[in-house]
Amino acid sequence: MIKFRGIVWSVHPLFVIVMLLSAAAGRFAELITLFILVFVHELGHVVAARSFGWHIREVKLLPFGGVAETEEAGGMPTREEAIVALAGPLQNVWMAALAWGIGQMGIGDPAWANELVEANMLIALFNMIPIHPLDGGKLFQCLLCRLMTYHLALAWTIRISMALSLLLAISAFIQQLWPGGGIQLNVLTIAIFLLATNWTQRRHMPFLFIRFLMNRERYARKHMNRGASAAPIIVRPETALHSVLKYFRRDAVHLVYVTTARGELLGILPENELLHGFFASANPNRPVAELII
């Protein structure tokens, strides 16, 4: 574990297992190469995130990339998160192009250059699979956030990620159908890790949603400084406060219109008043009408 410029860099236990297996097999050169490729991949994420002013607490390196823990998780615009997610695979693209160019010019060992190209493209393409927390999973969640509320997008990201992780685990056994084939232990190990990660995300979903709500003030401030319009939410006065918050969208600041069944307007609440009422009250089921003065 190393701390550099306020960011804690650590190696995930899964990567440690891969490193030990590579060392036992005497594949030191491949191990060092993989570490460098993964580090540069994750460095791309860090640089992109820092350019948007994100605060990164820790980066955990994995065999296929890494996981960055940020204070702004779920609270920044989807455009920013999409750019940060793409910044990692793009590092592998330019490194693959550089290795290909070196191979074409005959500099060094052509076989090594080809292996470097394949390794970079494998890392880049694998990371684009729409399974959270892979980069493709983050991009998929950004797309869902454009189409639905954050709470729904979070739920569907976890469900689809778990389903695809299970399919990835099943694919590890496909080679057994052919003579001489065997189980792809590397694929199976990563699939189990992704499945376990999303299972944990599913259990922690209430906490993840609360974290999203806690970051709303920061996003709303940036949104309103640009003079952007607010998105309306229309609810009945008896609607529970926590239910109203589930209508929040990631890329919008809301005004909540409280109306009767006959369409009579009882009041208009900015989202910060709902958030204050939610966090200041011990009863998340209190009706939203109680916030109207």
Side-chain angles (χ1 to χ4, degrees):
M1 183 181 297
I2 300 174
K3 189 170 185 178
F4 179 71
R5 290 182 175 267
I7 302 175
V8 176
W9 293 79
S10 61
V11 179
H12 192 277
L14 183 61
F15 202 172
V16 174
I17 294 173
V18 172
M19 293 169 71
L20 291 174
L21 292 175
S22 299
R27 307 185 67 174
F28 295 103
E30 291 86 346
L31 173 60
I32 294 173
T33 301
L34 176 62
F35 184 86
I36 293 173
L37 298 184
V38 168
F39 178 78
V40 175
H41 172 105
E42 204 58 28
L43 194 60
H45 291 308
V46 171
V47 172
R50 282 287 185 90
S51 71
F52 289 121
W54 290 21
H55 300 88
I56 303 172
R57 294 192 300 266
E58 183 178 2
V59 176
K60 293 181 180 179
L61 299 180
L62 289 150
F64 48 80
V67 177
E69 296 182 7
T70 67
E71 295 181 4
E72 295 80 6
M76 290 294 103
T78 54
R79 180 185 66 86
E80 291 186 11
E81 179 151 359
I83 293 173
V84 172
L86 287 170
L90 286 175
Q91 308 312 306
N92 298 111
V93 171
W94 75 256
M95 286 190 289
L98 178 62
W100 180 82
I102 291 175
Q104 292 297 307
M105 290 185 292
I107 302 174
D109 184 2
W112 174 83
N114 289 334
E115 289 178 1
L116 199 56
V117 171
E118 292 177 1
N120 273 293
M121 296 314 298
L122 181 62
I123 293 174
L125 292 174
F126 183 82
N127 269 278
M128 294 308 294
I129 299 175
I131 301 176
H132 205 272
L134 300 180
D135 299 326
K138 294 176 182 177
L139 290 171
F140 182 65
Q141 187 178 90
C142 288
L143 175 62
L144 290 181
C145 285
R146 292 277 189 171
L147 303 175
M148 59 186 70
T149 66
Y150 179 77
H151 191 269
L152 271 177
L154 183 61
W156 277 108
T157 299
I158 294 172
R159 291 168 188 160
I160 293 172
S161 294
M162 290 180 67
L164 293 178
S165 298
L166 187 58
L167 288 176
L168 186 64
I170 294 172
S171 71
F173 295 90
I174 290 180
Q175 283 194 0
Q176 282 194 315
L177 301 177
W178 285 271
I183 300 174
Q184 293 180 290
L185 289 176
N186 54 344
V187 175
L188 181 60
T189 302
I190 293 174
I192 292 174
F193 164 77
L194 293 173
L195 185 61
T197 299
N198 283 284
W199 179 263
T200 303
Q201 290 276 93
R202 180 175 175 271
R203 293 178 57 192
H204 292 169
M205 188 172 161
F207 163 75
L208 297 174
F209 185 63
I210 292 295
R211 186 173 62 177
F212 161 73
L213 296 177
M214 292 177 67
N215 281 316
R216 289 295 298 176
E217 183 180 355
R218 183 185 306 173
Y219 173 73
R221 193 184 309 117
K222 290 179 63 176
H223 194 79
M224 289 185 290
N225 287 340
R226 296 195 300 265
S229 58
I233 297 175
I234 302 174
V235 298
R236 298 285 180 261
E238 66 274 10
T239 307
L241 187 54
H242 74 90
S243 297
V244 179
L245 298 178
K246 289 182 179 180
Y247 292 129
F248 280 17
R249 288 178 173 266
R250 184 166 170 180
D251 286 333
V253 173
H254 299 288
L255 285 175
V256 179
Y257 292 76
V258 184
T259 66
T260 65
R262 302 172 65 178
E264 299 170 336
L265 181 63
L266 300 179
I268 303 174
L269 297 169
E271 70 168 58
N272 65 320
E273 288 192 22
L274 274 84
L275 291 169
H276 182 267
F278 176 76
F279 287 114
S281 173
N283 180 21
N285 293 313
R286 63 187 297 199
V288 69
E290 290 186 5
L291 299 180
I292 300 174
I293 301 175

